[in-house]
Amino acid sequence: MGKPETIIEKVWNKHVVHQEEGKPDLLYIDQHLIHEVTSPQAFEGLRLTNRKVRRPDLTYATMDHNVPTKNRHVVKDEISKKQMETLRQNCEDFGIKLADMFHPDQGIVHVIGPQLGLTQPGKTIVCGDSHTSTHGAFGALAFGIGTSEVEHVLATQTIWQEKPKTLNVKVEGNLGPGVTAKDLILAIIGKFGVRFGTGYVMEYTGEAIRKLSMEGRMTICNMSIEAGARAGLISPDQTTVDYLEGREYVPKGQEFEKAAAEWLNLATDEGATYDQTVIINADEIEPQVTWGTNPGMCVPVGGTTPILAEVDHKEDVKRALEYMGLEENQPITSIEIDHVFIGSCTNSRLSDLQKAASIIQGRKVKDNVKAIVVPGSFSVKLQAEELGLDKVFTEAGFEWRDSGCSMCLGMNDDIVPPGGRCASTSNRNFEGRQGNGARTHLVSPEMAAAAAIEGHFVDVRKMAGVLN
Amino acid sequence: MEAIQKHKGLVFPLDRSNIDTDQIIPKQFLKRIERTGFGQYLFFNWRFDDDGNQREDFALNQPQYKEASILIAGENFGCGSSREHAPWALTDFGFKVIIAPSFADIFYNNALKNGIIPIKMEEERLSKWMEDAQRSSLELSIDLKNQQITDEEGNVISFEIPEYHKEKLLNGWDDIALTLLQEDKILAYENSRI
Ligand code: SF4
């Protein structure tokens, strides 16, 4: 046995095609995912230079950012329509598999990759989308790239990358009942800030992480970019293997056994060291709510907005409170919301919808609250309908939509109006993210469901019947 | 990509940290399928009010910054979405250099790919320039080859940029063409895994 290594080093070293002193490494890419918004200019570049897609078989496309989530057959916005049509044409011309708007495998790119088993431990995965970090939940090295890099990967199936520093995010203890993976990642970013991961690839370790389901792990890795890290991953274990078995693009039979053994071998070796380690205790974490305009601006639901005299970056805090229409030292539970969005690549998988539905069951959405559920993929939608979840949501007063990014970024009609306030299960509470002038509070699906019922934030653990 | 060796220009100071790419260019403008024409939407929600009128209180709308080509901003510039529309909007608007205490990783790469020079500089130095540019106007000269910035008082400050990125900016090299020089290695790698 050589020197103990982290999974980050193992995956990296397996993918180096070319190395030269003083230059980044040239890494091979195993899986390239593309969507309609960040790819058109890349294909245009290929055409202008007469280049081909090197490995169409390692490339997979879907439409998610722009797609309507109701009445799909009519895309009213001409420019959106053109963007989707462009993707269809590009995939046809270059021989790339596409799950278009009406395809049963359509969905948010970071939901369908794992669902189809395209995402596997040890792969290098890129996509023109910063939340590509999601796929790290499987022990893949997955990161977002810009459109020029999309073109580069299309043409060469490689990317130049500087070897990242490694950061161990160690989560000790266990999450309490009613406290979710979303609360954990928000608490991590709340504690260490929105930049602590810049220049690093993070690995999440510790007991609380091991106990998470794959869906919970995806929620965690998804928001690595919100901590500044391009990629965040979790060493594979039996939970990973069990999730992948039987999925469409995963090897079958004996091949699967072989693959599974290799996957488990990728886990970080005992005694491997990181460039940096941070530690957080899960026992102390409570359900979180963001109050400001970046994901680090978050507090436990029992807390208040900051007190200006007590903070460091006073101007930033003041501007954020102003944008959010909040006072300093305001109790979180006093904040009334008028929109609820359950969806996005952070929290739109089946278990997210199940957990939200369990809160909503038999209750009604508060008057004047507009609440929508947008399943992460067409397949999640179907599975949820088989379980009757759509009924639970619609009977409570939620709208039940088709899959897509939707109100996470409001590129289609699903927007929060100026001054509107939304409890959202997505990942970014930036100014204007959900609509110009919209105010976003990031929460878990359970907390969003509870807010929909009460019309303001509440500690979901205190709702009748939740903890037993 | 156009080669860039030296640049002299006017500074626009934007004293905010964590400026995310949603602020640099909001999502409603990401639907174009071309690389050009994004400048008009730069910092859209800050430059324009709900009715589409220019906001007086946003400095970039003031005539003194009209010709600005160097942006000075707070830490973690360009965080959030990977949209390359952000550097496209910045270059299209006329910015060639961005100076900040730190940049988000994806944005930093995206900027380099579009011939923008991203310069990391400690906050102390920046806050002086930030003040000067806010008070009146400030011109800086950037010499990429020698990695130096000269201000109006004649101070010469050096900056760091990875050699490899510098070479590419100086020569305006096409990344893909460079990579394809290694094509035999890519092929060998692929063959080794079958
Ligand atoms: S759901 Fe939101 S964060 Fe995720 S890919 Fe879509 S727009 Fe990006």
Side-chain angles (χ1 to χ4, degrees), chain B residues 125-173:
Chain B
R125 164 65 57 186
L126 276 190
S127 54
K128 171 157 185 333
W129 284 343
M130 191 84 83
E131 276 168 33
D132 290 350
Q134 277 163 345
R135 208 173 324 113
S136 54
S137 72
L138 172 70
E139 214 174 48
L140 294 176
S141 302
I142 285 93
D143 177 347
L144 178 59
K145 184 145 186 279
N146 296 309
Q147 298 179 209
Q148 284 175 338
I149 306 181
T150 312
D151 67 13
E152 285 170 347
E153 293 163 18
N155 298 312
V156 180
I157 294 98
S158 46
F159 62 88
E160 297 288 320
I161 187 163
E163 193 60 32
Y164 157 85
H165 290 312
K166 183 170 112 177
E167 280 286 286
K168 285 206 297 193
L169 284 169
L170 287 172
N171 296 293
W173 277 333

Side-chain angles (χ1 to χ4, degrees), chain A residues 14 28 77 148 152 432, chain B residues 27 31 84 179 189-190 193:
Chain A
K14 278 193 170 67
Y28 198 77
D77 181 344
S148 295
H152 189 278
Chain B
K27 72 273 168 154
K31 295 177 184 173
E84 200 160 317
T179 306
Y189 181 86
E190 284 171 333
R193 298 212 313 175

